[in-house]
Amino acid sequence: GAPNVSTALAAREQHGHDESMHACAPPDAVVWPQAVGQVQELAALCYRNRVPMVPFGTGTGLEGGVNAVQGGVCFDLSRMDAITELSLEDFSVVVEPGVTRKALNNYLRDTGLWFPVGTVGAGAAG
């Protein structure tokens, strides 16, 4: 329920486009999960009911990947923003999907490490 779910037009339109040239295609609802278990439950519910799922990070993509062209539910992952593990020995960090590059670099500031723009990898923060 509110404030973790919204069907308001403003929220849907905000989540129905990115920085690409594609026209807005809003989802039917936006949810803000805060834990992996919630994402799993939501995904299972959508799967059982054949409802499209659209993940949303910060909306800075350039490909139109957040456009819900068939409706569905947008999973806004911004509240899943914990940095859970850092290994200075092997230069790795484990983050939740809502961690932005700026937040990660603030966290890394005093370690001598940084996450540069353009780095691609599994779960790369945007």
Side-chain angles (χ1 to χ4, degrees):
N4 300 311
V5 178
S6 179
T7 57
L9 182 59
R12 293 173 39 238
E13 286 181 343
Q14 175 189 354
H15 290 82
H17 65 90
D18 55 17
E19 298 295 323
S20 70
M21 63 180 178
H22 302 287
C24 181
D28 300 312
V30 180
V31 296
W32 287 266
Q34 298 172 36
V36 171
Q38 291 175 337
V39 173
Q40 291 169 329
E41 289 180 36
L42 289 164
L45 181 64
C46 287
Y47 178 79
R48 280 193 308 270
N49 291 286
R50 298 182 174 262
V51 173
M53 297 172 274
V54 182
F56 187 93
T58 59
T60 59
L62 300 174
E63 302 84 17
V66 300
N67 292 48
V69 295
Q70 296 179 354
V73 176
C74 175
F75 289 35
D76 183 324
L77 304 170
S78 63
R79 294 182 186 168
M80 295 178 65
D81 61 355
I83 299 169
T84 59
E85 187 178 326
L86 171 63
S87 174
L88 297 176
E89 294 175 2
D90 63 7
F91 304 109
S92 67
V93 62
V94 178
V95 301
E96 291 183 343
V99 174
T100 64
R101 181 184 52 81
K102 182 177 179 179
L104 180 56
N105 281 327
N106 284 338
Y107 183 86
L108 296 173
R109 181 181 308 137
D110 297 329
T111 68
L113 302 176
W114 77 97
F115 188 84
V117 174
T119 299
V120 178

